[in-house]
Amino acid sequence: MATTAAPVHPVDEVPPVRQLAAFGLQHVLAMYAGAVAVPLIVGGALKLSPADLAYLITADLLVCGIATLIQCVGFWRFGVRLPIMQGCTFAAVSPMVLIGTTGGGLRAIYGSVIVAGLAIVLLAPVFGRLLRFFPPLVTGTVILIIGVSLLPVAGNWAAGGVGAEDFGAPKNLALAGFVLAVVLAVQRFAPAFLGRIAVLIGIAVGLAVAVPFGFTDFDGVGDADWVGVSTPFHFGTPTFHVSAIVSMLVVALVTMTETTGDFIAVGQMTDRPVEPRTLSDGLRADGLSTVLGGVFNTFPYTAFAQNVGLVGMTRVRSRWVVAAAGGILVLLGLLPKLGAIVAAIPAPVLGGAGLVMFGTVAASGLRTLAQVDFKGNDNLTVVAVSVAVGMLPVGVPTVYEKFPDWFQTVMNSGISAGCLTAIALNLLFNHLPGKADSAGDAAGPTPPSVAAEA
């Protein structure tokens, strides 16, 4: 009970080792499927051998862990020092597949990734100065869009995982519903500590039920090596193609926008609002991790929105918990057999847990919007149109397929599309001359420093 270390902010508290391990593992399980999806998709599109595909995944997990440690622990001017998990960005998937299949293979991908990472490091201070364009009106809208746009991910998991032969089978949805029920029961009736690892307990119980019913396949565990170390430039020296670099620079701008939204969301959930300098440090860490990705045979890195929901749901705010998760990811990257065990968790189990976590992100956005004044102004229009634009590619994934690649890269991410729309509309309605008298205080150009009270 003696947890009243007054001078220490909850973000900087170091829980006991047992709790660090449990909370950290919970974060790893929440993001694992998303973390390995990018190398699986890109490697599959490039028709890599199973051995090369396994290599991509272990390299990804290793750099995921290192990137998470840089972001949470930080050094010098690198790292936001908040509970932020890092993972490969989905915004880069389409451009990387295009580069890999038509523009020079993996070596061209890695060349463009390294250049994009360096660009993010250089652009970080510029983005830091843009924080004043993220008042609660914008941040609440962006957090709401992040949560709602993630819900289809949980839905696909619950149905069995994209591409599964039995996708949508009642048994898959029943297992996901069972895991959801366990998570809710633990949160409602279990002691406080167990309530904070409700997702971990739900996944563990779900896995225990899944095994006898034949949901799991542990064949990959036997085939996996015990030890595997990713070496720099395993697939050859990177090559630098102008078209590949340009498309990856567009991805860099998109991921910086998304990451800014994630940082602000976690800053509000943890009562440590993100300041311009902190934002720059966090984006700089993203850039460094992306450069490491290009060197160690993996892809661009960004803050993982999946884990934002876990922070809000469990109310465990310590960055050292997520640093522990980073350490676990490093282990999984160095010990492929461990990674194969985690990979054997059935998608419906993750889906049941994901529904709670991603819904929590959306609810946090609503809580932030509760601070905004909607009387006598156009703030409702800002929220309505931004959410609509953000949800368009989520609801209709092919809506922009006739547009140029760079446009698809920006707009196919509901998070970046909604974020850019919210910023533009807030400037249009609340900052241009002639609307000054109708701009509510909550929509003014103040950084989102007030944490949600409710």
Side-chain angles (χ1 to χ4, degrees):
M1 286 291 192
T3 54
T4 52
V8 182
H9 192 282
V11 167
D12 299 317
E13 280 180 357
V14 183
V17 174
R18 188 186 64 198
Q19 292 184 20
L20 270 179
F23 292 149
L25 180 59
Q26 187 169 239
H27 271 284
V28 169
L29 295 178
M31 62 85 71
Y32 190 91
V36 300
V38 174
L40 279 174
I41 295 167
V42 176
L46 270 57
K47 297 182 170 52
L48 296 184
S49 67
D52 282 345
L53 209 51
Y55 192 95
L56 274 189
I57 290 169
T58 52
D60 175 39
L61 293 172
L62 176 66
V63 181
C64 266
I66 294 169
T68 299
L69 288 167
I70 293 171
Q71 197 65 271
C72 294
V73 179
F75 68 92
W76 189 53
R77 295 297 305 278
F78 291 85
V80 73
R81 294 168 175 84
L82 285 171
I84 292 281
M85 287 291 285
Q86 296 285 103
C88 282
T89 173
F90 284 89
V93 169
S94 297
M96 288 193 302
V97 168
L98 200 64
I99 295 165
T101 52
T102 63
L106 273 174
R107 299 193 325 166
I109 291 175
Y110 293 139
S112 64
V113 167
I114 290 169
V115 173
L118 293 171
I120 292 172
V121 172
L122 294 173
L123 288 172
V126 178
F127 256 73
R129 288 196 286 273
L130 298 178
L131 193 60
R132 62 197 183 91
F133 298 115
F134 287 86
L137 174 65
V138 173
T139 57
T141 304
V142 172
I143 297 167
L144 174 61
I145 292 169
I146 291 172
V148 178
S149 65
L150 282 171
L151 286 172
V153 175
N156 282 321
W157 286 347
V162 177
E165 290 180 12
D166 60 348
F167 186 85
K171 65 173 187 175
N172 291 339
L173 294 168
L175 179 57
F178 171 72
V179 171
L180 174 60
V182 171
V183 171
L184 295 175
V186 171
Q187 265 207 297
R188 175 65 182 86
F189 299 110
F193 167 68
L194 291 178
R196 288 178 181 150
I197 55 167
V199 169
L200 180 59
I201 293 171
I203 290 173
V205 173
L207 184 59
V209 169
V211 171
F213 284 97
F215 280 91
T216 49
D217 178 11
F218 289 104
D219 291 346
V221 178
D223 298 335
D225 295 328
W226 278 104
V227 179
V229 180
S230 180
T231 52
F233 309 125
H234 173 79
F235 294 100
T237 308
T239 56
F240 301 91
H241 299 255
V242 174
S243 59
I245 288 169
V246 169
S247 63
M248 206 54 69
L249 288 175
V250 174
V251 170
L253 293 173
V254 172
T255 56
M256 291 176 85
T257 307
E258 288 184 0
T259 298
T260 299
D262 291 332
F263 285 169
I264 290 169
V266 172
Q268 293 194 342
M269 288 175 180
T270 57
D271 294 329
R272 178 173 277 180
V274 172
E275 304 293 340
R277 177 178 169 130
T278 330
L279 174 59
S280 299
D281 292 351
L283 291 172
R284 207 176 276 116
D286 259 15
L288 175 60
S289 302
T290 297
V291 172
L292 289 176
V295 172
F296 284 95
N297 323 296
T298 175
F299 307 115
Y301 284 86
T302 187
F304 240 43
Q306 283 93 321
N307 296 82
V308 174
L310 193 54
V311 172
M313 182 191 148
T314 61
R315 296 186 289 281
V316 176
R317 297 183 276 177
S318 171
R319 62 191 170 107
W320 297 104
V321 162
V322 178
I328 293 170
L329 284 171
V330 170
L331 272 179
L332 292 175
L334 295 173
L335 304 172
K337 207 170 275 291
L338 277 181
I341 292 170
V342 177
I345 296 172
V349 171
L350 296 172
L355 287 170
V356 191
M357 293 187 299
F358 305 160
T360 301
V361 180
S364 297
L366 293 175
R367 188 176 66 177
T368 302
L369 287 172
Q371 305 169 48
V372 177
D373 179 13
F374 287 101
K375 293 177 184 173
N377 56 40
D378 298 297
N379 289 343
L380 197 63
T381 302
V382 174
V383 177
V385 176
S386 303
V387 171
V389 172
M391 289 302 98
L392 199 56
V394 176
V396 190
T398 57
V399 67
Y400 298 122
E401 66 177 11
K402 303 281 194 248
F403 285 76
D405 290 336
W406 67 266
F407 186 88
Q408 290 187 49
T409 301
V410 176
M411 299 303 289
N412 272 342
S413 163
I415 297 171
S416 63
C419 183
L420 293 172
T421 305
I423 293 169
L425 292 181
N426 179 51
L427 290 173
L428 174 67
F429 285 110
N430 293 319
H431 291 265
L432 289 184
K435 299 296 281 187
D437 58 336
S438 65
D441 289 340
T446 341
S449 55
V450 185
E453 306 263 336

